[in-house]
Amino acid sequence: MSLLNVALRCGQCRGPLGIFILLARQTKKVATPSKKMLAAKARRKSKTKKSIYDSEKMTLADAVSVLRAVEVASPNSTYELVVKTDMKKGTAIPRGRMSLPREPKAMSKDRILVFAEGRHLEEAKKAGADIVGGPELCDGIIAGRHRATVFLCIPSLLRAITPKLGRYLGPKGLMPSERRGTVTDDVATYIRRLKGSSEWRGDKSGVIRTPIAKLHYPVDDVVKNVRYFMNVVKRATGNLQDGKEKGKKENANKPSTAITKVILSSAQGPGIQISDA
């Protein structure tokens, strides 16, 4: 028994001090929730807030109609397409270039830098490259004097630029590589292709997001844009191959990145899972 309890029983602690001690004894301790309890609470909360469309799939045409009805007061809003992929560890992030049948926004202009020499240098200049030169451009790129959104290189100069630029451009996804097609002898054709297209890419978890159409577009135009983009993504993830590529052994053994969900949404509308993407 503590000295305070003894004092209270003997009646020695009276007045305000005695009342304070009694209140302190009667106050129950509030248990602080553990991390496990907080996580369980968050899960319960998230389950109750799920949209009715989460477990329901719709055809593309029906999803377009639903979102158009929701956004009736905002005809200039944009449809967003979300493609979720099952990206395995060590798999390259899905990315590529596209030119939609009807663009929902003005395409941003790429600034193109080309590592070339000889006739390739002249061809790159005529095709419209912004910066053209040899390995001497490396220091200017690292220092920030030469800025570009796309870097191209001819095969003979790749070894010369890799030691300096590999660690600088690599993490940004800008380093020229044969896999992405940015190491090529035909720089002029690649530049002309860049001029009329825009880049898309997934995030680290393999989720691809892109504005796909405006709400005031006819349904057929929205469907065309979605179908075109899905073919581009399927080709980039190995889920769709051209006739020429099917016969190649390296493509037959190349693992594909599975597409798990395709969701169409708008600014105020719900995300609707597409059944026929």
Side-chain angles (χ1 to χ4, degrees), residues 57 115 159 168 238 247:
K57 289 184 180 182
F115 290 102
R159 284 190 178 183
Y168 182 75

Side-chain angles (χ1 to χ4, degrees), residues 229-241 259 277:
F229 182 68
M230 286 307 301
N231 281 339
V232 171
V233 172
K234 284 174 183 176
R235 199 171 286 115
T237 53
N239 291 286
L240 182 69
Q241 291 181 358
I259 294 170

Side-chain angles (χ1 to χ4, degrees), residues 133-147:
E136 70 276 1
L137 295 175
C138 293
D139 292 331
I141 292 166
I142 294 167
R145 292 195 302 275
H146 304 313
R147 297 179 184 274

Side-chain angles (χ1 to χ4, degrees), residues 217-253:
Y217 288 3
V219 175
D220 286 346
D221 286 359
V222 181
V223 171
K224 278 179 188 174
N225 275 5
V226 173
R227 297 272 184 250
Y228 175 86
F229 182 68
M230 286 307 301
N231 281 339
V232 171
V233 172
K234 284 174 183 176
R235 199 171 286 115
T237 53
N239 291 286
L240 182 69
Q241 291 181 358
D242 295 329
K244 290 179 183 178
E245 293 175 344
K246 282 182 181 177
K248 293 182 182 179
K249 287 183 180 178
E250 60 267 25
N251 287 318
N253 297 325

